[in-house]
Amino acid sequence: AVLVGLTVPGAFLAGVLVLDYLGMTLNIVVLFSLILSVGMLVDGAIIVVEYADRKMMEGISKKEAFIQASQRMAWPVIVSISTILVVFLPLLFWPGVVGQFMKFLPITLIAVLTASILMALFFVPALGFYLGGISKEHAEKNREVIVATEEGDLSKLKGITGWYYHILEKALNNTKKVLLGSFGFLIGVILLYSVFGVGVEFFPDVEPEQAAINIHARGNLSIKEQDAIVKSVEDRILDMKELTSIYTRVGKPDMSKGGSPGQGGEETEDTIGVITLEFADWQKRRKVDEILADILVRTKDIPGVYVETRADKPGPSHGKPINMNISRVNSQPL
């Protein structure tokens, strides 16, 4: 168990070093990929350690047992982990914004699982020579079990192994029924989900922690006039106890430089100020939709001002769903 357990931090460290070499950050997708890989990266180490234990039970020395385990289990380990790598390899070519967001998953898994092969075939056998080994009593007891399973009557096995043997025997005697049942179960699951499923959601709808208020006004307004308008909006929300912090910025975006790099880059030319809000804990306040609706009610009677609220959304930042570009060839006035 110790030898198998050491494979996890070793493979993680190697994978993180590969990501650092590629110039990638440690983000939530990388952390999710590391969690996903835990159950897969220990397979090779388990195979090697179990084979070495089996040989030591047969009376082979500890050193020779781990040498044989590393040599004879090399191809099984490589092939078993390679089948997993092949599954995630196409995700490297995932196009679009989602592909840029999710590319960390296949890269992390490929790096970590490749490192687990090296851990299983080199590091674990070398460390097993110092930490491995079984007692003589344990070896003699399990040697009898090994002989019984290889040369005796398997139907006499007890416990979970015996229960598994009896189920496997019935399945092998009814292969057509098992295959038809498996195919029917697969089709049934798809049909049931198509009828009772609730659909697919890439990013779940969670309560945001921040939101922004964009204040729009037309006209050649001075910075003092803009500040007065933004302050009138700010004064109407300062008494809301559901806000833990309020940050206000006054001024129009510099459109000559592509607009303001605000949230999602969605500030327009008539934006005279942005108020960034940070909400209290979601258990101690109303829902964000209700808070933003209340803000719109409080500010709707300010003449000549259009107030737009926008809450943070999960996933990669993106612009508004519709962009309209209007141009004309003739520069003469209509």
Side-chain angles (χ1 to χ4, degrees):
V2 173
L3 293 175
V4 174
L6 289 175
T7 307
V8 177
F12 277 12
L13 177 61
V16 171
L17 290 176
V18 171
L19 293 176
D20 181 69
Y21 177 78
L22 296 176
M24 295 185 176
T25 59
L26 188 66
N27 51 56
I28 189 171
V29 180
V30 172
L31 296 177
F32 172 75
S33 303
L34 293 176
I35 296 173
L36 183 66
S37 66
V38 171
M40 297 181 284
L41 63 86
V42 296
D43 293 345
I46 291 174
I47 294 172
V48 172
V49 172
E50 287 295 328
Y51 187 88
D53 282 349
R54 172 72 172 267
K55 289 302 177 181
M56 284 187 286
M57 292 178 189
E58 295 176 358
I60 298 178
S61 64
K62 180 168 57 175
K63 180 179 179 179
E64 185 64 25
F66 278 99
I67 291 176
Q68 291 188 20
S70 179
Q71 293 175 344
R72 297 187 179 184
M73 293 294 105
W75 279 114
V77 170
I78 293 173
V79 171
S80 64
I81 296 181
S82 296
T83 56
I84 303 174
L85 295 179
V86 170
V87 173
F88 291 99
L89 192 62
L91 298 181
L92 291 173
F93 307 99
W94 197 339
V97 177
V98 178
Q100 292 296 317
F101 182 71
M102 295 297 295
K103 68 179 180 179
F104 298 96
L105 188 145
I107 294 175
T108 304
L109 287 174
I110 291 172
V112 171
L113 293 178
T114 303
S116 71
I117 297 177
L118 302 178
M119 293 288 296
L121 299 181
F122 297 99
F123 182 77
V124 169
L127 195 61
F129 177 74
Y130 296 99
L131 300 181
I134 56 176
S135 62
K136 293 182 178 180
E137 296 80 7
H138 183 69
E140 293 177 357
K141 179 181 178 181
N142 286 274
R143 192 178 298 124
E144 296 176 358
V145 177
I146 293 174
V147 173
T149 55
E150 293 185 349
E151 301 177 0
D153 186 3
L154 295 179
S155 61
K156 296 181 180 179
L157 292 174
K158 299 180 180 180
I160 297 178
T161 306
W163 175 77
Y164 169 72
Y165 167 76
H166 291 298
I167 293 180
L168 184 61
E169 184 182 28
K170 292 180 180 179
L172 293 176
N173 292 333
N174 300 275
T175 53
K176 293 183 179 180
K177 294 181 180 180
V178 172
L179 291 175
L180 290 175
S182 301
F183 183 74
F185 179 76
L186 175 63
I187 300 299
V189 169
I190 297 175
L191 292 177
L192 287 174
Y193 183 79
S194 64
V195 176
F196 301 103
V198 294
V200 179
E201 189 175 18
F202 192 75
F203 293 105
D205 187 14
V206 297
E207 277 291 293
E209 297 180 356
Q210 293 182 338
I213 302 175
N214 285 1
I215 304 169
H216 305 272
R218 290 287 183 177
N220 187 20
L221 302 174
S222 66
I223 190 64
K224 292 184 177 180
E225 292 173 324
Q226 295 175 25
D227 180 62
I229 295 173
V230 174
K231 189 174 185 304
S232 66
V233 176
E234 183 185 46
D235 291 340
R236 301 194 180 198
I237 63 173
L238 283 176
D239 61 338
M240 299 182 69
K241 298 180 180 180
E242 293 141 322
L243 305 178
T244 57
S245 68
I246 298 175
Y247 171 75
T248 303
R249 177 177 60 81
V250 180
K252 292 187 176 182
D254 188 355
M255 304 306 295
S256 64
K257 298 181 180 180
S260 172
Q263 297 184 4
E266 299 180 14
E267 294 183 24
T268 57
E269 189 175 2
D270 63 344
T271 300
I272 64 171
V274 178
I275 301 177
T276 304
L277 311 175
E278 185 173 342
F279 300 108
D281 186 83
W282 64 274
Q283 295 178 327
K284 301 177 181 178
R285 59 170 169 81
R286 296 174 294 172
K287 291 186 176 181
V288 169
D289 293 340
E290 298 178 8
I291 298 175
L292 297 182
D294 188 11
I295 292 175
L296 293 178
V297 172
R298 290 172 177 235
T299 57
K300 68 179 182 179
D301 60 340
I302 302 178
V305 176
Y306 171 65
V307 176
E308 177 190 13
T309 59
R310 186 176 65 252
D312 284 349
K313 296 181 180 179
S317 60
H318 54 82
K320 294 183 178 180
I322 299 177
N323 292 322
M324 298 182 63
N325 294 325
I326 302 174
S327 62
R328 61 185 301 222
V329 177
N330 188 1
S331 61
Q332 296 297 325
L334 295 176

